[in-house]
Amino acid sequence: MNYKKYIDAELKPIAINVPYSKTIIGFANIYQTVSLKFTSVPKEVAAKNITIEGHKRLKFKTEIFEPSDTEGKSLPCLIYLHGGAFSYKASSYHKVLACLYAVKAKCRVYFPDYHLLPKYPYPAAYNDVLSLYRFIAGNSDERIGVAGDSAGAALAALICNNYERETLKPPCLQMLVYPVTDVSMRTDSMKRFSDTPLWNSKNNRLMWSYYCRDLKGDDIYAVSPMHSKLPEAIPYTYIETAEYDCLHDEGILYGEKLRKAGANVEVNETPKTIHGYDSALNSKIAAENIEKRILFLQKGFGSCLSG
């Protein structure tokens, strides 16, 4: 299907079919690493790196971004987990967004380079994020929010669902952008969108097979936010979906699951969009929806403080 006829005109240049395989992951991550390194940090952002021990005591780097005019001051903390099918390193636009969230929401953004497929299946990435959360909570009394896109949103949601069991300080908010939520892949959008640009259900199925390769039987549901036992108090939640995205329906259904459990959930169904559409950072539709995310972060951190 020619999706370029249906999507926002400014997104057409990025609407390409991207194959997914272990070989492609390897080559792509060489490019991603170089691209990220040369993505500059704006002057209004102060940046530094820390190293954390995560999965099986393996070390991983985490970049920290905060407004330069508040450097060293007490700020709410946001763990921002980049997407990429649990496989790809962060893109340049992820770093740009991390800096933007720091400045606009006046928070300290932790941007981890967590362990990835194909070498590190579940629970490596989850354990890395869990270790980072514990580190932040142990070194700050500030509010902690968790955000992510796509596979990063799956990790964010799992942290928020498991915080009681993991004996973590309760998260203040979760921001889930076109999230991966359901390992069972049974929704209508999964069936319909097998050939969409940037990501599709065929790639999604292969991703899950790589990620769950060490799991047996029902153990695979541990990776799936849709199948999680929810905590008694669910963090304030923002869910954003893309219209022409195999993940669209599971994002909506996950929001409904949280609402039924008593959560305050904002759902933003973006029209004429594809998975990863916000990589077109200069497009009007991306700018408008990024502004909605920032407003959510501002409200979420503010309400957590007042509460």
Side-chain angles (χ1 to χ4, degrees):
M1 181 174 175
N2 182 12
Y3 291 96
K4 289 189 177 182
K5 295 191 299 183
Y6 304 102
I7 64 173
D8 186 278
E10 289 187 280
L11 303 180
K12 291 180 181 180
I14 66 165
I16 57 175
N17 286 346
V18 180
Y20 177 73
S21 71
K22 292 180 181 179
T23 300
I24 289 169
I25 291 167
F27 283 111
N29 279 339
I30 295 171
Y31 170 80
Q32 299 285 72
T33 299
V34 174
S35 175
L36 199 68
K37 182 178 179 180
F38 288 98
T39 301
S40 60
V41 174
K43 63 181 181 180
E44 61 267 30
V45 173
K48 65 179 180 180
N49 296 325
I50 59 172
T51 300
I52 302 289
E53 275 193 359
H55 178 68
K56 294 184 177 179
R57 304 195 71 176
L58 294 170
K59 294 181 178 179
F60 64 97
K61 186 182 78 171
T62 295
E63 294 185 273
I64 303 175
F65 306 111
E66 60 186 272
S68 54
D69 60 356
T70 59
E71 189 176 1
K73 295 182 180 179
S74 181
L75 291 172
C77 302
L78 179 70
I79 300 175
Y80 175 45
L81 306 168
H82 68 83
F86 308 107
S87 310
Y88 298 116
K89 286 186 172 289
S91 295
S92 176
Y93 85 93
H94 288 124
K95 187 172 180 177
V96 172
L97 286 175
C99 292
L100 191 62
Y101 298 152
V103 171
K104 297 292 186 179
K106 294 196 179 302
C107 61
R108 184 168 290 117
V109 176
Y110 290 78
F111 187 52
D113 184 19
Y114 56 86
H115 287 91
L116 297 167
L117 293 173
K119 188 175 181 179
Y120 297 103
Y122 179 85
Y126 173 78
N127 285 342
D128 285 349
V129 178
L130 186 61
S131 295
L132 177 58
Y133 197 107
R134 292 193 195 282
F135 171 84
I136 296 169
N139 289 275
S140 171
D141 292 327
E142 274 295 339
R143 298 144 283 169
I144 303 175
V146 192
D149 64 281
S150 194
L155 296 171
L158 281 182
I159 291 292
C160 291
N161 290 346
N162 296 343
Y163 78 84
E164 290 178 336
R165 180 170 61 84
E166 301 285 8
T167 64
L168 301 174
K169 172 183 177 178
C172 170
L173 57 83
Q174 60 180 331
M175 184 171 77
L176 313 177
V177 177
Y178 36 80
V180 171
T181 67
D182 191 353
V183 70
S184 66
M185 291 182 56
R186 294 177 181 174
T187 64
D188 182 59
S189 62
M190 269 301 161
K191 296 170 185 174
R192 291 172 58 208
F193 296 135
S194 61
D195 60 347
T196 38
L198 296 184
W199 194 246
N200 59 55
S201 59
K202 292 178 182 177
N203 292 347
N204 204 72
R205 189 172 300 280
L206 192 56
M207 172 198 75
W208 278 128
S209 72
Y210 292 163
Y211 193 57
C212 299
R213 72 168 186 245
D214 293 341
L215 302 177
K216 305 296 182 183
D218 288 347
D219 289 348
I220 65 168
Y221 295 117
V223 310
S224 182
M226 191 72 80
H227 296 88
S228 295
K229 180 181 178 181
L230 298 176
E232 186 173 343
I234 301 168
Y236 180 34
T237 302
Y238 171 95
I239 295 176
E240 182 177 305
T241 63
E243 183 175 6
Y244 298 102
D245 181 5
C246 63
L247 298 167
H248 173 274
D249 291 1
E250 63 188 62
I252 299 301
L253 291 171
Y254 188 62
E256 292 175 1
K257 174 186 171 81
L258 297 185
R259 276 206 187 105
K260 287 178 182 176
N264 181 0
V265 182
E266 294 184 16
V267 175
N268 177 19
E269 293 190 68
T270 65
K272 299 183 179 180
T273 51
I274 54 176
H275 191 84
Y277 78 94
D278 50 339
S279 61
L281 280 167
N282 294 322
S283 66
K284 181 179 178 183
I285 195 165
E288 288 175 348
N289 287 296
I290 291 167
E291 192 60 36
K292 291 179 182 179
R293 300 175 200 171
I294 291 166
L295 180 60
F296 165 78
L297 292 174
Q298 292 170 340
K299 288 191 299 183
F301 284 133
S303 63
C304 195
L305 180 64
S306 61

